[in-house]
């Protein structure tokens, strides 16, 4: 069922003059080809990360996590995850127990820990290999037939020829092995590597906690005092073994001691430039040198780099060490190193200790060097100063870089993107958030294709955060509207202009929130809930003239009874106004009733004292018999598409031809350039539409819906006017750990694709924190 018409509120003409006619709708492409980009995941790691391995820009992470990674649903990442330099990838079904160690060489990643099954089906006793696509058992793994507790792999090292495995076990495959074994990768055979390690004080298996390769020699650290098995060479928690001969060399001076007893080693890091071995653990002496929990072995001699302490005592823990860029990085649970007050993460530059960034608020569990002098840092922490780094990040050497470049307002990926303006290789992004990737932000920021610009701090509010609802680029400047009091620290009221370097107010601003922007004839039209624009009575709709730097009313400035939520321009003249309104008021008196959420204003109209001169009626929408909500308006070809929350469209209560309308599920179209009729759009959507975009002659709709027409489409879909058919954009948006998702903004750029903003943790199955991009050049979609 269709309907037609519009009416001048003054003369009650059914159709306004001078609307563009005969504009053909461009035929849309046959397929919405593309994939979801993956760079904008939430910068959040799951709790209990314990191990990291790095190769180039690739990072593999292991631990005890099964939820919380990038705000994805529980079980998405099962104790292991792969960061490919842009986004997270699943490693199949992961493993069924905690991962304590990772090693990478070539295209293979080895994981060790407490698990017995990998990928949900592969028997892998505490050791498994990931080849990039699937998990494999590793030569029978490691075990202890006599014990049902404590068996684990705690350390791994690989040089491409040999995989060295340390932990707590008595067998490697079918070979007896005392907590240490070596696997020949060419033959797949195990050796006990010089008889392993043992403790004189216990018949239980000893523990190997750390390994460091230096050529074909491997340093072995842990809690033991015999190298070479029960009858081996005395040592104090540290010894070196030759991978080819199995010969042991104990650490000099009796190794490490703790108040007269054997000390324990928890971390090792070898400096490849000098050969110096840095040792961390629980001890008070290294050989004959006093050293609390940290020491360095260089050219066969021990020395101290300063004591690692916790509130003045020796109970501090050293959990991780790494050498990168000529610096030693130290992670654990401590409050001071070498007299310098640093908590949980510190760096040694060869002369002095210092903190890293603004420090971390909890224990660091793992470190791994990265190219350029930085380190991957994992642990129990949540913040560095005011910056959220939930359980993991990369210290680049000069600053923090998060895993994921999404926008968020809490540690778990919450936040809102309500407006997106694509520009260049990236986009301006506005909404409600206080962090963009690794940078504090004020609800608006620019993504340049590789990183974030926080635009001089963005917008703020006296109470809580400022919020951006709409953005528009005009004459090279960005106009931002919403609910905020400052921009870049400068006082503004709910609207501001960004010139690329600084923020500027628009006169005295707006008295309340603004929700919609449109540009006609070089002027900016603003809709919202405000009564005043500057000092001009506006009644929810106003015009800003950038040339004159002044506000003016629209027409005779009738007051809308409810919100204006959408604005669109037809033919560079006609301003379509949409929202939740039903009436025009003037001085408290109803002037017009029966607007049904839509009307039309002629911007070429000369100023007049006539309150309604220049306004025209449009057929509107309703929901359950009451006025419907119009959230979005978009012109595609010669058609105006209307999106929102309604079940009937085409209602005309006034004018020459009143109409009861026709069923329409949240979408309708006005063929203004054709015969002027209205109709539904491809069966509509099952829930409300929040945003619309024109994409190569097609329409992209975004909102709360799960289906468009009869097509499953998770929150975003593409409509082809030529075939009148819907197509999903891949798997759309997902709920992740949040349990709910919705899109609030959509925009298109021919070079970068379709940008979608809202409240969601994933797009196409990959982490995407409230911002996602479909199609165009860039990273491929997530793998299964």
């Amino acid at each position: 069922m269709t309907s037609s018409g519009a009416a001048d509120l003054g003369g009650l003409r059914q159709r306004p003059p001078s609307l563009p006619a005969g504009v053909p709708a461009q035929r849309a492409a046959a397929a919405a080809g593309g994939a979801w980009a993956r760079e904008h995941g939430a910068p959040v790691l799951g709790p209990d990360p314990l191990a990291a391995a790095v190769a180039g820009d690739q990072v593999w992470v292991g631990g005890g996590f099964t939820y919380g990674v990038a705000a994805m649903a529980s079980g998405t990442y099962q104790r292991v995850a792969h960061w490919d330099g842009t986004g997270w990838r699943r490693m199949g079904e992961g493993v069924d127990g905690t991962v304590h160690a990772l090693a990478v060489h070539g295209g293979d990643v080895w994981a060790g820990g407490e698990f017995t099954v990998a990928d949900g089906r592969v028997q892998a006793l505490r050791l498994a290999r990931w080849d990039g696509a699937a998990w494999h058992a590793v030569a029978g793994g490691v075990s202890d037939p006599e014990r049902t507790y404590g068996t684990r792999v705690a350390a791994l090292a690989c040089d491409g020829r040999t995989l060295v495995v340390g932990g707590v076990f008595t067998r490697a495959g079918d070979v007896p092995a005392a907590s240490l074994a070596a696997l020949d990768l060419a033959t797949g055979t195990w050796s006990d590597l010089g008889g392993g390690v043992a403790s004189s004080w216990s018949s239980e298996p000893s523990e190997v906690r750390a390994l460091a390769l230096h050529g074909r020699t491997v340093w072995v650290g842990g809690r033991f005092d015999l190298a070479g098995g029960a009858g081996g060479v005395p040592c104090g928690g540290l010894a070196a073994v030759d991978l080819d001969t199995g010969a042991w060399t104990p650490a000099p001076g009796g190794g490490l001691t703790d108040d007269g007893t054997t000390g324990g080693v928890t971390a090792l890091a070898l400096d490849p430039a000098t050969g110096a071995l840095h040792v961390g653990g629980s001890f008070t002496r290294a050989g004959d040198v006093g050293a609390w929990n940290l020491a360095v072995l260089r050219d066969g001699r021990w020395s101290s780099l300063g004591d690692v302490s916790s509130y003045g005592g020796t109970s501090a823990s050293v959990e991780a060490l790494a050498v990168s860029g000529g610096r030693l990085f130290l992670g654990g649970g401590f409050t001071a190193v070498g007299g310098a007050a640093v908590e949980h993460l510190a760096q040694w530059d060869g002369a002095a200790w210092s903190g890293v960034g603004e420090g971390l608020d909890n224990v660091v569990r793992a470190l791994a060097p990265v190219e350029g002098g930085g380190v991957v840092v994992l642990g129990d922490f949540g913040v560095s100063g005011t910056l959220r780094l939930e359980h993991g990040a990369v210290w680049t050497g000069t600053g923090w870089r998060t895993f994921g470049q999404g926008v968020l307002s809490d540690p778990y990926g919450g936040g809102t993107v309500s407006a997106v303006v694509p520009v260049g290789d990236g986009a301006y992004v506005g909404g409600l958030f206080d962090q963009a990737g690794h940078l504090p932000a004020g609800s608006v920021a620019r993504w340049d294709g590789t990183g974030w610009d926080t635009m001089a701090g963005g917008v703020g509010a006296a109470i809580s955060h400022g919020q951006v609802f709409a953005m528009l680029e005009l004459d090279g400047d960005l106009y931002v509207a919403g609910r905020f009091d400052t921009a870049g620290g400068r006082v503004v009221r709910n609207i501001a202009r960004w010139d690329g370097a600084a923020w500027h107010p628009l006169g005295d601003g707006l008295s309340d929130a603004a929700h919609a922007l449109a540009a006609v004839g070089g002027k900016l039209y603003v809709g919202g809930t405000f009564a005043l624009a500057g000092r001009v009575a506006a009644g929810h709709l106003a015009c800003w003239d950038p040339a004159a730097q002044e506000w003016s009313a629209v027409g005779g400035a009738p007051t809308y009874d409810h919100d204006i939520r959408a604005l669109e321009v037809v033919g560079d003249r006609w301003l379509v106004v949409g929202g939740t309104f039903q009436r025009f008021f003037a001085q408290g008196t109803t002037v017009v009733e029966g607007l049904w959420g839509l009307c039309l204003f002629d911007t070429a109209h000369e100023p007049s004292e006539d309150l309604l001169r220049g306004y025209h009626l449009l057929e509107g929408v309703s929901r359950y018999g009451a006025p419907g909500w119009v959230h979005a308006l978009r012109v595609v070809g010669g058609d105006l598409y209307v999106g929102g929350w309604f079940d009937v469209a085409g209602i005309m209560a006034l004018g020459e031809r009143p109409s009861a309308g026709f069923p329409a599920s949240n979408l309708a179209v006005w063929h203004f350039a054709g015969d002027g009729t209205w109709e539904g759009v491809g069966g509509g959507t099952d829930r409300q539409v929040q945003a619309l975009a024109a994409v190569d002659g097609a329409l992209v709709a975004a909102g709360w819906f799960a289906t468009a027409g009869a097509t499953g489409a998770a929150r975003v879909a593409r409509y082809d006017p030529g075939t009148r058919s819907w197509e999903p954009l891949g798997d759309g948006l997902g709920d992740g750990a949040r349990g709910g998702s919705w899109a609030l903004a959509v925009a298109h750029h021919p070079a970068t694709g379709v940008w979608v903003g809202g409240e969601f943790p994933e797009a196409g199955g990959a982490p995407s924190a409230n911002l996602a991009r479909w199609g165009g050049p860039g990273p491929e979609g997530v793998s299964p």
Side-chain angles (χ1 to χ4, degrees):
M1 182 176 181
T2 64
S3 182
S4 66
D8 177 75
L9 289 176
L12 292 181
R13 287 193 299 269
Q14 190 68 25
R15 181 177 177 83
S18 303
L19 281 173
V23 179
Q26 181 180 346
R27 181 74 161 89
W36 289 103
R38 304 171 53 253
E39 64 263 37
H40 289 114
V44 180
L45 271 174
D48 201 23
L50 299 173
V54 176
D57 62 354
Q58 314 274 309
V59 180
W60 292 265
V61 176
F65 51 83
T66 58
Y67 69 94
V69 178
M72 298 289 277
S74 181
T76 302
Y77 300 92
Q78 292 278 15
R79 302 175 183 86
V80 283
H82 173 205
W83 175 260
D84 68 3
T86 300
W88 289 109
R89 291 186 179 272
R90 297 179 69 222
M91 298 174 70
E93 297 301 318
V95 296
D96 69 343
T98 301
V99 172
H100 290 286
L102 294 168
V104 58
H105 194 278
D108 291 322
V109 179
W110 287 271
E114 300 177 48
F115 53 86
T116 58
V117 176
D119 234 6
R121 56 183 177 78
V122 177
Q123 289 296 118
L125 296 181
R126 301 164 190 91
L127 185 63
R129 180 177 60 88
W130 172 255
D131 66 5
W135 285 100
H136 305 274
V138 179
V142 302
S143 61
D144 184 345
E146 298 183 5
R147 295 167 183 81
T148 59
Y149 58 87
T151 306
R152 61 188 176 276
V153 170
L156 294 170
C158 183
D159 64 0
R161 292 173 54 191
T162 306
L163 177 69
V164 184
V165 181
V168 180
F169 51 85
T170 60
R171 298 188 72 81
D174 293 329
V175 175
S179 297
L180 183 69
L183 179 67
D184 185 315
L185 295 176
T187 64
T189 57
W190 286 104
S191 65
D192 67 358
L193 199 50
V197 298
S199 301
S200 61
W201 61 84
S202 175
S203 61
E204 295 281 303
S206 294
E207 180 181 25
V208 171
R209 285 284 302 273
L211 299 169
L213 273 171
H214 185 45
R216 292 293 288 170
T217 297
V218 60
W219 284 98
V220 182
R223 187 162 290 279
F224 53 84
D225 64 352
L226 296 172
V233 180
C235 63
L238 180 68
V241 61
D242 188 297
L243 290 176
D244 296 319
T245 66
W248 284 95
T249 302
L256 307 164
T257 56
D258 185 6
D259 293 331
T261 64
T262 301
V265 173
T266 55
L268 296 172
L270 190 74
D271 187 338
T274 66
L277 180 70
H278 302 91
V279 182
S282 177
F283 49 84
T284 55
R285 297 191 70 80
D288 59 357
V289 175
W292 284 10
N293 307 315
L294 177 67
V296 59
L297 181 61
R298 185 183 291 109
D299 297 327
R301 296 185 178 184
W302 288 106
S303 60
S304 172
L305 297 181
D307 293 339
V308 181
S309 61
S310 179
Y311 302 103
T314 63
S315 60
S317 69
V318 173
E319 302 289 337
L321 293 167
V323 175
S324 184
R327 292 175 177 251
L328 173 68
F329 290 87
L330 166 69
F334 49 81
T335 61
V337 183
V342 288
E343 295 190 12
H344 311 304
L345 182 63
Q347 59 183 338
W348 169 258
D349 63 4
W353 286 100
S354 61
V356 175
E358 295 187 61
L360 294 169
D361 67 329
N362 212 331
V363 176
V364 170
R365 300 291 182 185
L367 298 170
V370 299
E371 294 178 359
V375 284
V376 172
V377 185
L378 308 177
D380 302 340
F381 50 85
V383 297
S384 176
T386 59
L387 182 66
R388 286 189 292 271
L389 303 172
E390 195 72 12
H391 299 303
V394 178
W395 175 257
T396 66
T398 58
W400 289 107
R401 184 176 73 242
T402 51
F403 294 110
Q405 295 285 354
V407 298
L408 62 158
S409 63
D410 61 50
Y412 307 105
T416 302
V417 170
S418 303
V420 180
V421 175
V423 57
D425 292 332
Y428 291 106
V429 179
L432 178 62
F433 51 85
D434 64 2
Q435 188 168 321
H438 63 284
L439 299 175
S443 292
V444 62
R446 179 178 176 178
W447 174 255
D448 67 7
T450 59
W452 286 103
D453 172 8
T454 57
M455 300 170 64
V459 301
I463 300 175
S464 190
H465 303 302
Q467 190 165 3
V468 172
F469 297 126
M471 299 190 301
L472 182 145
E473 196 174 21
L474 178 62
D475 295 331
D477 290 342
L478 182 75
Y479 290 84
V480 175
R483 189 185 300 278
F484 48 84
D485 304 315
T486 62
R490 187 172 185 179
V491 174
V492 299
R493 289 203 306 168
N494 303 311
I495 191 166
R497 176 176 65 89
W498 172 254
D499 67 5
W503 291 98
H504 305 274
L506 273 61
D508 291 331
L510 306 170
S511 61
D512 206 344
H515 291 278
L517 296 170
V520 186
K523 295 182 179 180
L524 183 72
Y525 287 82
V526 186
T529 59
F530 51 87
L532 296 174
R535 299 182 182 181
V536 175
H540 299 181
L541 182 64
C543 177
W544 171 258
D545 186 337
Q549 291 285 292
E550 63 182 15
W551 287 103
S552 62
V554 174
T559 297
Y560 292 74
D561 68 328
H562 283 294
D563 297 3
I564 292 173
R565 293 281 173 168
L567 298 172
E568 178 64 308
V569 178
V570 173
D572 294 327
R573 174 177 174 179
W574 303 92
L575 182 70
V576 184
V577 183
T580 60
F581 50 83
Q582 175 74 332
R583 300 177 180 85
F584 280 159
F585 284 94
Q587 298 179 347
T589 301
T590 298
V591 177
V592 175
E593 182 170 1
L595 298 177
W596 299 99
L598 279 169
C599 65
L600 187 72
F601 180 75
D602 183 359
T603 65
H605 165 72
E606 294 295 330
S608 169
E609 294 183 0
D610 186 337
L611 187 74
L612 300 178
R613 184 61 62 187
Y615 270 103
H616 296 255
L617 288 172
L618 280 184
E619 295 178 330
V621 298
S622 72
R623 177 173 57 90
Y624 307 139
W629 295 2
V630 174
H631 291 307
L633 300 165
R634 186 63 63 221
V635 169
V636 180
D639 295 329
L640 175 73
Y641 289 86
V642 179
W645 194 12
F646 50 85
D647 53 23
V648 172
I651 296 176
M652 179 67 79
L654 302 172
E656 299 170 351
R657 295 192 297 274
S659 169
F662 54 89
S665 297
N666 307 310
L667 270 171
V669 59
W670 175 33
H671 303 293
F672 65 81
D675 57 9
T677 59
W678 286 79
E679 64 177 327
V681 178
T685 61
D686 64 329
R687 295 190 69 185
Q688 59 185 291
V689 171
Q690 292 285 145
L692 299 170
V695 181
D696 300 328
L699 177 79
V700 173
W704 296 54
F705 52 85
T707 61
T711 301
R715 318 293 182 261
V716 59
R718 175 184 174 277
Y719 177 72
D720 184 335
T723 61
R724 298 193 172 211
S725 62
W726 287 100
E727 185 175 9
L729 270 63
D731 292 332
L733 310 181
D735 295 344
R738 186 175 298 158
S741 64
W742 43 89
L744 301 173
V746 63
H748 176 249
H749 190 282
T752 55
V754 176
W755 295 80
V756 181
E759 298 185 36
F760 51 85
E762 68 175 73
S768 290
N770 310 312
L771 178 65
R773 180 174 61 84
W774 168 267
E780 63 184 22
V782 69
S783 62

